[in-house]
Amino acid sequence: FFFTPTPPSAILSGLVGSEMCIRDRSTAAVEKAEEVSKIAVAKTEELTKISKIKIEEHQLQRELSKNYEKMGRMVTRHAKDDNMVNFSGNQEFFNLIEKIDEIQVKIDAKVLAVQRIKDEYDLTDKDVSAAVSKAEASLHTDENQTDFETIVETTSGEASEGETKEE
């Protein structure tokens, strides 16, 4: 059995080739990681937009509920005090109807905006609900902080909003 030594130049060219292959793989991995990162950032931005829209929608829903409550109180008052159940010609009633319709149009626009973003970025309801829950938790924390600060800033002898003054 006869052994032929491999010339150093052949060994070096083999190493250079495998090193280039490793570099190509690592470059491809870095490019893939950058692509995934860009997609994640885009989805995060879109989820943030959706969260903001959902919070605005929630605020509109609250405003809508308040107007329905106001209408209910008005109808009850008129039915009880004036024995009136026909509201034709009642401007207060029609102003409330108009306001309710305007709010509902805004809510519908928010719902459509969320759906467009979900469709465009292939976001699931699960993705959206998780992002919205985080945003709402943050919002409630901010509201609680404000309430706490109001209570702390209230000087003795003064009643803060919503509190009764005890003597």
Side-chain angles (χ1 to χ4, degrees), residues 27-41:
T27 301
V30 167
E31 288 172 358
K32 184 67 175 174
E34 286 175 352
E35 180 183 334
V36 168
S37 172
K38 286 177 184 176
I39 291 169
V41 167

Side-chain angles (χ1 to χ4, degrees), residues 8-9 67 79 93 144 154 157 166:
S9 60
N67 279 284
F93 180 79
N144 291 339
T154 304
E166 294 183 26

Side-chain angles (χ1 to χ4, degrees), residues 62-76 96 100:
R62 287 177 56 188
E63 187 179 341
L64 185 65
S65 292
K66 287 178 184 178
N67 279 284
Y68 276 123
E69 288 174 22
K70 187 185 267 186
M71 180 182 285
R73 284 191 301 273
M74 184 199 75
V75 168
T76 302
L96 281 169
I100 287 170

Side-chain angles (χ1 to χ4, degrees), residues 22 34-35 42 53 72 74 78 81 93 95 100 120 147 157:
I22 291 170
E34 286 175 352
E35 180 183 334
I53 293 169
M74 184 199 75
H78 283 294
D81 297 345
F93 180 79
N95 286 343
I100 287 170
E120 184 177 344
D147 292 345

Side-chain angles (χ1 to χ4, degrees), residues 142-161:
D142 292 345
E143 287 175 354
N144 291 339
Q145 180 66 29
T146 302
D147 292 345
F148 177 74
E149 289 169 353
T150 303
I151 293 167
V152 169
E153 290 174 1
T154 304
T155 58
S156 63
E158 292 181 349
S160 66
E161 187 176 330

Side-chain angles (χ1 to χ4, degrees), residues 51-94:
S51 295
K52 182 178 181 259
I53 293 169
K54 287 282 201 176
I55 289 171
E56 291 168 353
E57 178 190 346
H58 177 73
Q59 291 169 336
L60 287 168
Q61 291 285 1
R62 287 177 56 188
E63 187 179 341
L64 185 65
S65 292
K66 287 178 184 178
N67 279 284
Y68 276 123
E69 288 174 22
K70 187 185 267 186
M71 180 182 285
R73 284 191 301 273
M74 184 199 75
V75 168
T76 302
R77 186 182 71 238
H78 283 294
K80 184 179 173 186
D81 297 345
D82 305 331
N83 199 22
M84 182 177 93
V85 289
N86 183 349
F87 291 94
S88 57
N90 185 311
Q91 194 58 43
E92 181 183 11
F93 180 79
F94 287 105

